[in-house]
Amino acid sequence: MRIRLLTLLAAGVLGLSVLVAAPAGAVPATATDDDSGFVLSTTQPGGPGQAPMFVGNGYLAGRQPFDGQGFAQVQLPGRTEPLPTQSQVHGFYAVAVPFTPPGLPPSIPVERRAALPAWSTLSYNDGSGAYSLSSGQVDNYLQRLDMRTGTLTTQVSWTSPGGHAVDLAYDVTPDRVHRRAAMVRLRLVPHFDGPVTITDLLDGQAVELATSQGTSHRGNTQWVKLSSVGLGMTATVASTVIPPKGAKVRPAQTSDPLTAGQDVRFRVKSGQTYEVTKAVGVAVSADSTDPATTAIGASKHEASLGYAGMRTGSDAAWDKLWQSDIVVSGDARLQRQVRSALFALLASVRDDTPWAPSPGGLSSDGYNGHVFWDSETWMYPSLLATEPAIAAESLQYRVDRLDAAYRYAADTGWSGARYPWESAHSGLEETPTWANTGLWEIHVSADISLAMWQYWLATGDTQWLASKGWPVLRGIADFWVSRATRNSDGSYSINTVIPPDEYVEKVNDSVYTNVAARDALRFATQAAALLGRHASPKWSRVADRLRILFDRTLGIHPEYAGYPGDAVKQADVTLLAYPWENPQPASVTEADLAYYVPRTDPLGPAMTDAINGVISSQLGLPGCPAFTFTRRSVDPFVRPPYEQFSESRVDGAFTFTTGAGGFLQEFLYGYTGFRWRGDRIVLDPSLPPQLTGITDSAVHWRGRVLRIEVGPEQTQVILLSGAAVTIQTPSGTQTLRSGGGLTLPTRRPDQTPTTNLARCHPTLATPATAEPPEAAADGTDITQWIGPTADATIQVELGQTVPLGSVTITRNPVTTFASTSGGKGVAMATKSAGERVEASVDGSSWRVVATVTAPTLRDTVAGDGQPTRYVRLVALDATDTVPLIVGELSVQRQ
């Protein structure tokens, strides 16, 4: 099974990020806090469960400590090792032995992304000690991320150990225009007279898997040269300091060969404002023939712009990216979460860098900085809809490594192009050898084919298809032909694989793998027809005869041959409906969803419920389960104060850009019903009652840009630019012309007639758990609310006062849940704790209606006919292993 490597983050306290005004008397910040959802902030540095933020320009990035600059090891609850604030850049790899989980044999060395010196250090010192949140006295602290500009600002009033008070404001901004550059600005207002020293440090404490090739200093510029361990790739990090008038700049004494420093010394007067800025340049041999000259030049050029000049260009570049904003109305926190997810993705990719993001993006070296199917399946679709030029660069990473894929196939005994499960610089297999995924998790090649075909559908770029897409599609098709085994009945099987559900190994006829391989073969055949190229007849023969398992008794796709119904790690069979759009009746899609959701391990990775949300929107299940899945796909995984994704509810890669990408697909492909076609686009919008609107500001298709505004009753589609476009909807096909608009009805599954007064009405639960309370009243027992404590309660407000009729509690026959001991449980509903059914008119005075002491799959109790506006269930001695389980709470009026 695939085990997440490195960067293990324990689940923190889930809470709202706060938006606050700047403290009085502090240096003004570069942006104003507002309620737009673009600014996330905290006044409590390193509070319970809080994780520091990273900023990046898509080429380079750095996680910043709560101090606002420099390097730190941040200890988070439940985490064995502290989280380092790493500085990362695309393409800088070493060869070294990776982390090995306890009890497994060590891996052979693999390529691993190396970390740079921390480039943001601009340390303040009045002679009695350097500024730190752990020394002196801290007042008026505020740190905030302005996602509109990619800037992290930290303000603090600090009294040094020597008793000198000063207001400090740090701004850390990677330059979105010049990819090799970043800037750090310190503004200070002292409340004393005397000397101070500002130290510009390129801090070698942060370096991982690299050795020093020397440090140098010339004028106001310094640099560190690095060579990666084992691979010998080179990199240079340079900085140019811009001092206040009259200040002296001198080299700082350092004992670390990986560290370079220069001191800026000057005298200050109380009440005056001073500014020190450092301009950073980074270059690596992966894309520069002379990294030292390139990095030093980038640093000096950045310094010539000045901080304000740099921000003018960089802010404009970010503003252009945010033209593809996703606007969520009716839920302020969800809006912030959406923007944070999009920011994390954009901070890790750009349109002039041919590199695909790893599961941690540029936030860390999580998963060794390797590229998985996470790129094509989870992050790429959101980029394709909003930033197709960036999506093209993500695919270029695979195009550039096609020769390596041919070599890998040949080395492992197959034909064609086999892409590795974990890829890095070379394009060969870099999976640690203690994990079997590198041997048998082969669906990644088909995932790449789907991404290539989606790019063709989205852009119609025939030249790209001929020169880049077709060679990849052809090579992958040949691989699948060689990998398939002909059976005695003429069908084909693909044996000995690991499916997306990595809890199983060496299974045969994984339904996901076979459907993906089948479609990859057909994509190659279709591309050949479009381009007038030769298509091997083997492609169609194998595609048409691949075994696609189906259980007619259960009405579902079994995960693989002999699948016994066990718990699964993550989305697998459900992916057939989306993104693969396997031709199957809606009833089968619904049956697959209902079967696999309760069997999915809640301790698995964050992406799964995003797929469930998209499919629920597609199916239009009566009620509002799509919103439940949206909540499940984000709330248990994001960490305060910056709403960053962790890979799982308890640990995993951080920041998990894979989860962020999957989450965004709910708003681009789920609630809009948007699907790619070569001659048209498909829209089938829907909206849950918990939201008042979703707007995809700029969706791109074949040179057109559309704005899709999903409202509670109607959806407006506006063609902002480009030629006319054909739009297919459930009510027919229409043509939308440039500058024109189209009005579509918005589906509202919550308005499907029902006698259940509780369905989709506001719910509250205690204690707050990873399961959203909406699960108990969303119209289906596919989703369930689970209360693990003796006094757990779930409450629904009916929206009106009615004479209480019957109350029904239904439970799914299978419930997979996480226990606080760190494991997972699979329970039948009969293992649910009992409950007391209570009712109220005002929500404060409650009366007992009935008690269920021996719960079954469906328990109905008679009401008392009394006026009721609130109904709640109170657990009877629930425990972590026998919790209160509520699939659906149904209330009837008398």
Side-chain angles (χ1 to χ4, degrees):
M1 111 187 176
R2 176 179 171 195
I3 300 177
R4 297 294 182 180
L5 307 178
L6 307 176
T7 318
L8 301 177
L9 176 71
V13 177
L14 296 176
L16 298 181
S17 297
V18 292
L19 300 175
V20 295
V27 178
T30 56
T32 303
D33 281 313
D34 54 38
D35 59 359
S36 68
F38 278 107
V39 180
L40 302 175
S41 49
T42 181
T43 58
Q44 300 178 346
Q50 291 201 351
M53 186 61 197
F54 87 100
V55 287
N57 65 8
Y59 177 76
L60 60 82
R63 189 177 297 282
Q64 305 304 317
F66 287 106
D67 293 74
Q69 48 79 47
F71 176 75
Q73 299 273 2
V74 182
Q75 189 64 54
L76 296 169
R79 179 186 167 94
T80 304
E81 298 294 330
L83 176 71
T85 56
Q86 294 180 328
S87 297
Q88 296 283 318
V89 64
H90 279 309
F92 187 42
Y93 281 85
V95 171
V97 176
F99 167 81
T100 300
L104 294 176
S107 172
I108 64 172
V110 298
E111 290 185 355
R112 298 171 57 189
R113 195 163 65 205
L116 303 172
W119 46 258
S120 68
T121 307
L122 206 53
S123 178
Y124 165 86
N125 195 323
D126 66 0
S128 66
Y131 155 68
S132 169
L133 294 178
S134 60
S135 67
Q137 179 178 323
V138 175
D139 297 295
N140 300 324
Y141 178 86
L142 171 65
Q143 187 179 76
R144 60 184 179 177
L145 171 70
D146 187 344
M147 294 179 286
R148 289 169 298 199
T149 66
T151 298
L152 186 72
T153 298
T154 307
Q155 299 174 213
V156 61
S157 297
W158 186 67
T159 303
S160 72
H164 292 154
V166 64
D167 295 329
L168 303 174
Y170 286 98
D171 299 299
V172 181
T173 310
D175 188 340
R176 191 74 207 191
V177 174
H178 304 100
R179 65 173 183 162
R180 301 184 192 276
M183 293 194 86
V184 184
R185 178 176 67 170
L186 167 60
R187 290 163 295 160
L188 59 122
V189 179
H191 299 290
F192 66 96
D193 297 341
V196 300
T197 300
I198 310 300
T199 301
D200 163 18
L201 207 65
L202 300 175
D203 193 344
Q205 290 184 86
V207 173
E208 295 180 9
L209 302 177
T211 59
S212 175
Q213 299 300 299
T215 65
S216 297
H217 182 276
R218 185 179 303 129
N220 293 356
T221 301
Q222 62 181 354
W223 57 92
V224 178
K225 294 181 179 180
L226 305 166
S227 177
S228 69
V229 172
L231 200 56
M233 299 185 74
T234 58
T236 297
V237 181
S239 66
T240 300
V241 69
I242 307 172
K245 185 177 180 180
K248 296 181 179 180
V249 180
R250 297 175 180 174
Q253 295 297 319
T254 62
S255 58
D256 183 355
L258 292 165
T259 298
Q262 50 188 346
D263 290 334
V264 181
R265 298 177 180 176
F266 54 98
R267 293 190 65 85
V268 297
K269 291 185 178 181
S270 180
Q272 293 192 12
T273 300
Y274 300 86
E275 181 173 309
V276 181
T277 303
K278 69 182 293 185
V280 178
V282 175
V284 299
S285 59
D287 53 30
S288 173
T289 56
D290 186 352
T293 299
T294 303
I296 294 167
S299 172
K300 290 183 175 181
H301 177 266
E302 196 79 349
S304 71
L305 296 175
Y307 185 78
M310 178 277 294
R311 282 290 300 271
T312 297
S314 185
D315 289 4
W318 271 108
D319 184 66
K320 184 178 179 181
L321 292 173
W322 284 114
Q323 290 176 15
S324 298
D325 187 21
I326 299 171
V327 181
V328 178
S329 305
D331 190 319
R333 187 187 182 201
L334 189 61
Q335 174 68 92
R336 295 195 295 272
Q337 291 168 334
V338 166
R339 293 238 172 87
S340 180
L342 188 52
F343 175 80
L345 202 55
L346 293 173
S348 299
V349 291
R350 56 186 296 124
D351 63 6
D352 59 1
T353 300
W355 206 275
S358 63
L362 283 175
S363 72
S364 72
D365 62 354
Y367 279 109
N368 300 309
H370 291 173
V371 178
F372 297 74
W373 76 315
D374 302 54
S375 177
E376 285 78 21
T377 301
W378 303 100
M379 293 179 265
Y380 167 83
S382 296
L383 296 172
L384 183 59
T386 58
E387 300 293 337
I390 295 179
E393 290 297 280
S394 179
L395 291 186
Q396 187 63 38
Y397 170 85
R398 300 296 192 180
V399 175
D400 291 343
R401 286 157 182 80
L402 178 58
D403 288 345
Y406 271 100
R407 176 183 164 187
Y408 183 41
D411 287 348
T412 52
W414 310 108
S415 300
R418 175 187 179 183
Y419 280 89
W421 178 241
E422 298 189 30
S423 179
H425 177 70
S426 70
L428 297 174
E429 184 63 76
E430 302 295 344
T431 301
T433 51
W434 54 259
N436 290 327
T437 47
L439 299 174
W440 302 313
E441 193 154 5
I442 59 174
H443 62 77
V444 60
S445 292
D447 302 321
I448 294 168
S449 286
L450 176 60
M452 295 282 172
W453 190 245
Q454 286 173 329
Y455 187 80
W456 156 250
L457 294 177
T459 66
D461 188 339
T462 304
Q463 182 178 354
W464 175 91
L465 182 64
S467 63
K468 298 181 178 182
W470 161 249
V472 174
L473 292 170
R474 177 184 58 198
I476 291 174
D478 286 339
F479 166 69
W480 285 119
V481 167
S482 72
R483 191 60 172 79
T485 300
R486 191 175 187 274
N487 299 309
S488 59
D489 62 359
S491 66
Y492 285 86
S493 291
I494 299 176
N495 297 324
T496 316
V497 303
I498 294 177
D501 170 21
E502 292 163 333
Y503 286 167
V504 295
E505 297 184 354
K506 299 179 70 173
V507 300
N508 298 332
D509 286 326
S510 152
V511 71
Y512 177 89
T513 303
N514 286 16
V515 165
R518 178 200 68 191
D519 286 3
L521 291 162
R522 290 175 176 171
F523 296 152
T525 301
Q526 293 175 70
L530 285 166
L531 299 170
R533 307 291 176 86
H534 172 71
S536 170
K538 296 179 182 178
W539 298 347
S540 293
R541 182 169 65 250
V542 174
D544 293 344
R545 299 177 184 178
L546 266 174
R547 285 181 174 174
I548 309 299
L549 301 178
F550 187 75
D551 187 323
R552 297 189 180 279
T553 301
L554 295 176
I556 64 159
H557 292 94
E559 187 184 292
Y560 53 85
Y563 170 65
D566 289 346
V568 301
K569 178 182 178 182
Q570 61 192 50
D572 187 305
V573 173
T574 50
L575 292 162
L576 302 188
Y578 174 85
W580 286 96
E581 298 189 63
N582 185 54
Q584 59 192 40
S587 59
V588 171
T589 299
E590 182 176 350
D592 282 344
L593 187 73
Y595 186 85
Y596 286 101
V597 167
R599 288 172 168 79
T600 302
D601 183 0
L603 296 179
M607 314 93 71
T608 294
D609 278 317
I611 296 300
N612 297 337
V614 172
I615 294 173
S616 295
S617 295
Q618 173 182 310
L619 289 170
L621 299 178
C624 47
F627 187 76
T628 301
F629 285 123
T630 293
R631 279 292 182 213
R632 282 177 38 151
S633 71
V634 59
D635 286 349
F637 302 100
V638 293
R639 304 293 177 251
Y642 298 112
E643 307 288 7
Q644 297 177 89
F645 266 86
S646 181
E647 182 178 13
S648 80
R649 297 181 180 191
V650 295
D651 55 28
F654 183 81
T655 300
F656 191 47
T657 46
T658 302
F663 170 60
L664 292 171
Q665 291 187 53
E666 297 180 76
F667 302 90
L668 291 163
Y669 300 94
Y671 292 120
T672 64
F674 177 60
R675 299 290 185 273
W676 302 109
R677 298 291 183 267
D679 58 350
R680 63 196 185 282
I681 63 172
V682 176
L683 292 175
D684 184 13
S686 63
L687 194 72
Q690 293 90 347
L691 301 177
T692 57
I694 295 170
T695 297
D696 294 339
S697 299
V699 173
H700 297 252
W701 180 79
R702 298 202 165 199
R704 289 85 159 177
V705 181
L706 300 97
R707 180 182 177 91
I708 305 171
E709 302 174 353
V710 182
E713 297 180 359
Q714 296 179 329
T715 294
Q716 301 295 323
V717 186
I718 302 167
L719 182 55
L720 300 176
S721 64
V725 57
T726 300
I727 298 180
Q728 177 185 325
T729 74
S731 57
T733 300
Q734 302 183 55
T735 300
L736 179 59
R737 305 191 182 282
S738 183
L742 179 65
T743 301
L744 308 175
T746 300
R747 287 188 293 110
R748 290 291 301 275
D750 62 299
Q751 295 178 355
T752 305
T754 181
T755 59
N756 178 10
L757 300 178
R759 192 182 73 184
C760 295
H761 279 272
T763 53
L764 296 172
T766 56
T769 70
E771 307 303 327
E774 288 90 349
D778 61 7
T780 176
D781 65 1
I782 297 175
T783 59
Q784 306 197 62
W785 185 78
I786 299 170
T789 62
D791 57 350
T793 67
I794 184 80
Q795 170 186 317
V796 63
E797 197 234 323
L798 305 179
Q800 57 182 314
T801 301
V802 299
L804 182 62
S806 62
V807 176
T808 300
I809 305 104
T810 58
R811 291 167 251 266
N812 197 288
V814 176
T815 303
T816 305
F817 60 91
S819 67
T820 57
S821 60
K824 65 178 181 294
V826 181
M828 303 303 292
T830 52
K831 292 186 179 179
S832 172
E835 60 263 323
R836 189 168 63 248
V837 181
E838 299 181 345
S840 173
V841 174
D842 57 8
S844 58
S845 299
W846 296 89
R847 65 184 189 276
V848 177
V849 176
T851 299
V852 178
T853 57
T856 65
L857 292 179
R858 181 182 178 88
D859 295 301
T860 299
V861 300
D864 56 11
Q866 297 300 309
T868 299
R869 188 179 181 89
Y870 300 87
V871 174
R872 75 177 181 185
L873 306 179
V874 181
L876 300 178
D877 299 322
T879 66
D880 179 43
T881 55
V882 185
L884 172 60
I885 301 174
V886 182
E888 191 66 14
L889 175 60
S890 176
V891 179
Q892 310 290 323
R893 71 183 298 158
Q894 190 176 56

